[in-house]
Amino acid sequence: MTFVSYMPQKDGSFSLSGIFLLLVMLSHPCDSRPHTGRVFSSTAGDNHPAKKEVSAEVAAYADVAKQIIDLAVFGAAQNRSYDRLARFTDTIGNRVSGSHSLEMAIKYMYSAMTQDGLDVHLEPVKIPHWVRGKESAEMIEPRAKSLAILGLGSSVGTPPGGIQAEVMVVRSFEELKLRGSSAAGKVVVFNQPFISYGETVAYRAYGASEAAKVGAVATLIRSVTPFSINSPHTGWQDYQDGVKRIPTACITVEDAELMWRLAQRGQKIVVRLTMGAVTLPDADSFNTVAEIKGWQHPDQVVLLSGHLDSWDVGQGAMDDGGGAMISWEALSLIKDLGLRPRRTLRAVLWTAEEQGGVGAQQYYNLHKVNLTNFDLVMESDLGTFAPVALQFAGSAAAQKVMQEVVKLLAPLNTTKLEGYAEGTDISSWMRAGVPGASLHVADSRYFWFHHSEGDTMTVQDPGEMNLCSALWAVVAYVVADLEDMLPR
């Protein structure tokens, strides 16, 4: 997953960390979860006539919302999103951009959603094709030790014989600058502490270029995670124009801290790094689209989404198989109940999100001519753990409508509306003024498994996915069926 927070400051500018986040998003992962967004009050202005009118219209959907929730959580569809995800990930596995596995995943989902009775089509896109190749690393001095690594996306490879060089360990970009005169010809190891994903991911994204500026021959980045069992985490990284491209990989928290301790004692550290990474020409791929056409305004769209691609480790179950499946499941629940909203419900399974929302950006470029027909864009790419709130970005008038919509989620104990939304794949729409929504879940363990071999079905819980599916379906259906589109 690539993380984006669409959260400007009060003066309309973005914080420094927000700029970092936006830059990473534009090229890739930029991931951050600021769970400090404003929560909208659902009681302010209840006596205003317009408020009462909106409240009454939305409240009329209480019975339908309960039907959707009952079907997803207790009825025939119970555990269906989990079972679909398990079958999909067990069959296909991980699905990195440009790979044969991603091609198979798209074919699989096209067939499965067609068999489900949805209107399905594929929209062509061009996506990056980076191949990891064989890779290994070991510490030679002061003792022999194998190092678990995962090369970072877009990294160049090493020469065929690998690189063997002395290590310089630093804990920040500032320290690298201070000690830059000692970095020439060395492998720079970043042992940066984990603060938050949005802040710490800058080392993964920019570490290679910053080290290359002071003459380093490679970089090893401490994995961006708050918890590790000797597990490296991969992700996209960005070379700066005009700066020499050097190999870069992530190492485990444990190995980064080990080398830091050795360096603090003044012990010489030497590592040997071999990476066979290559970047091939962009590959042909598709965004996968399934719809329930609106009965009154078929050209107006409520868009639900998750991304189908993943990294080339684990199963991509959490990031973002779960988000893709609940977007499909939301349409299935509505179809199974014989419901058809005024506007079209469109589930889009994005491709090449991990490389910076590549498929989604091409979708936006193609469809932005119809910008005014997009009522709400929704993205689930933060995990499908127990839902906590709906995150929403939109006008004050739209916020009032959404305050009423989330009241329908009372059976799920999730009636909180938070004042921001996030998602790489919907960020262009939100910047253009289209209301956006994302799913806030109890994700305290999310970055334990993110972009690692640990992202498997074992992380997923069927009951929690039922709750996410129900929330996603209720919000999408009600907004799509209201008499008017959300105010801009």
Side-chain angles (χ1 to χ4, degrees):
M1 116 164 304
T2 326
F3 255 104
V4 170
S5 293
Y6 190 73
M7 188 165 58
Q9 306 301 300
K10 291 181 180 179
D11 63 359
S13 66
F14 286 87
S15 66
L16 180 60
S17 62
I19 294 172
F20 254 133
L21 192 57
L22 183 60
L23 287 173
V24 181
M25 178 275 293
L26 291 174
S27 52
H28 177 57
C30 84
D31 311 24
S32 156
R33 279 249 31 184
H35 293 288
T36 56
R38 180 163 56 93
V39 178
F40 294 119
S41 168
S42 61
T43 58
D46 280 343
N47 293 324
H48 192 283
K51 173 75 173 179
K52 289 184 177 180
E53 184 178 334
V54 170
S55 178
E57 181 185 9
V58 176
Y61 287 92
D63 287 344
V64 171
K66 188 175 184 302
Q67 290 177 42
I68 293 171
I69 291 169
D70 286 348
L71 178 60
V73 179
F74 308 110
Q78 184 184 51
N79 299 343
R80 183 168 62 186
S81 58
Y82 175 90
D83 292 340
R84 285 172 167 175
L85 178 60
R87 185 179 295 274
F88 171 69
T89 57
D90 290 346
T91 300
I92 304 297
N94 53 59
R95 311 165 296 281
V96 73
S97 176
S99 68
H100 177 68
S101 293
L102 180 57
E103 288 183 34
M104 296 303 295
I106 293 168
K107 291 177 182 178
Y108 181 105
M109 292 302 296
Y110 177 89
S111 175
M113 291 193 295
T114 300
Q115 291 176 26
D116 192 34
L118 300 173
D119 182 4
V120 188
H121 69 275
L122 303 177
E123 298 192 9
V125 293
K126 283 282 191 180
I127 61 174
H129 190 185
W130 176 81
V131 178
R132 178 178 305 283
K134 292 183 179 181
E135 56 187 18
S136 65
E138 58 184 324
M139 186 168 67
I140 307 300
E141 296 182 35
R143 64 178 174 88
K145 184 186 185 302
S146 177
L147 303 174
I149 67 166
L150 282 175
L152 293 175
S154 83
S155 177
V156 297
T158 63
I163 292 172
Q164 182 168 316
E166 187 176 346
V167 164
M168 184 173 83
V169 188
V170 299
R171 288 175 64 85
S172 67
F173 288 133
E174 290 73 18
E175 182 180 354
L176 177 66
K177 291 177 183 177
L178 288 173
R179 301 175 57 196
S181 60
S182 302
K186 294 181 180 176
V187 173
V188 169
V189 171
F190 284 97
N191 180 40
Q192 76 287 343
F194 182 89
I195 299 171
S196 69
Y197 204 86
E199 184 168 346
T200 311
V201 75
Y203 289 89
R204 188 190 76 199
Y206 308 124
S209 288
E210 292 303 313
K213 290 176 184 177
V214 291
V217 294
T219 55
L220 296 174
I221 316 292
R222 170 173 162 162
S223 288
V224 186
T225 178
F227 177 78
S228 175
I229 306 179
N230 208 44
S231 52
H233 297 235
T234 189
W236 197 250
Q237 69 88 38
D238 295 287
Y239 289 120
Q240 295 179 29
D241 292 339
V243 178
K244 182 180 179 180
R245 299 187 172 197
I246 61 175
T248 181
C250 268
I251 56 175
T252 70
V253 171
E254 293 86 342
D255 285 340
E257 291 185 341
L258 167 64
M259 286 189 277
W260 170 257
R261 293 193 300 272
L262 293 171
Q264 290 301 103
R265 298 185 193 116
Q267 293 177 274
K268 181 180 179 181
I269 307 168
V270 176
V271 299
R272 180 184 296 125
L273 174 67
T274 303
M275 294 175 59
V278 294
T279 297
L280 302 175
D282 285 356
D284 294 319
S285 190
F286 302 92
N287 290 318
T288 308
V289 183
E291 294 183 333
I292 296 175
K293 288 287 187 183
W295 66 266
Q296 186 176 29
H297 304 293
D299 293 335
Q300 296 175 2
V301 176
V302 168
L303 186 152
L304 310 87
S305 69
H307 66 85
L308 204 56
D309 66 295
S310 73
W311 279 104
D312 55 343
V313 289
Q315 288 183 284
M318 182 190 72
D319 183 15
D320 180 37
M325 291 300 153
I326 67 166
S327 296
W328 171 18
E329 178 67 13
L331 268 60
S332 292
L333 292 167
I334 291 161
K335 175 185 64 67
D336 290 350
L337 288 170
L339 301 172
R340 188 180 175 193
R342 296 174 190 272
R343 295 171 195 83
T344 293
L345 286 175
R346 179 178 298 166
V348 183
L349 310 185
W350 311 109
T351 195
E353 186 275 346
E354 296 294 358
Q355 286 64 39
V358 175
Q361 186 60 47
Q362 291 176 53
Y363 180 91
Y364 174 78
N365 292 341
L366 179 65
H367 293 279
K368 65 183 178 181
V369 64
N370 297 315
L371 190 76
T372 56
N373 279 334
F374 281 80
D375 189 5
L376 175 67
V377 290
M378 303 167 61
E379 179 175 359
S380 173
D381 189 16
L382 310 172
T384 46
F385 302 106
V388 172
L390 184 72
Q391 301 168 323
F392 180 74
S395 68
Q399 290 164 9
K400 291 178 181 178
V401 177
M402 296 305 293
Q403 288 167 14
E404 300 303 316
V405 172
V406 295
K407 290 179 181 179
L408 300 173
L409 303 174
L412 300 174
N413 295 316
T414 311
T415 58
K416 186 186 297 183
L417 186 71
E418 295 178 342
Y420 60 90
E422 51 195 327
T424 300
D425 291 322
I426 60 171
S427 59
S428 291
W429 297 96
M430 292 191 293
R431 285 196 296 271
V434 177
S438 55
L439 188 59
H440 177 173
V441 298
D443 65 350
S444 61
R445 298 179 299 136
Y446 184 84
F447 290 111
W448 294 13
F449 310 108
H450 180 253
H451 295 182
S452 78
E453 289 286 3
D455 184 357
T456 69
M457 281 304 299
T458 302
V459 177
Q460 300 296 129
D461 178 85
E464 293 179 346
M465 289 194 68
N466 292 339
L467 300 176
C468 291
S469 298
L471 183 155
W472 220 224
V474 169
V475 171
Y477 175 77
V478 172
V479 172
D481 199 56
L482 291 174
E483 185 172 345
D484 297 316
M485 293 177 66
L486 293 174
R488 298 289 170 93

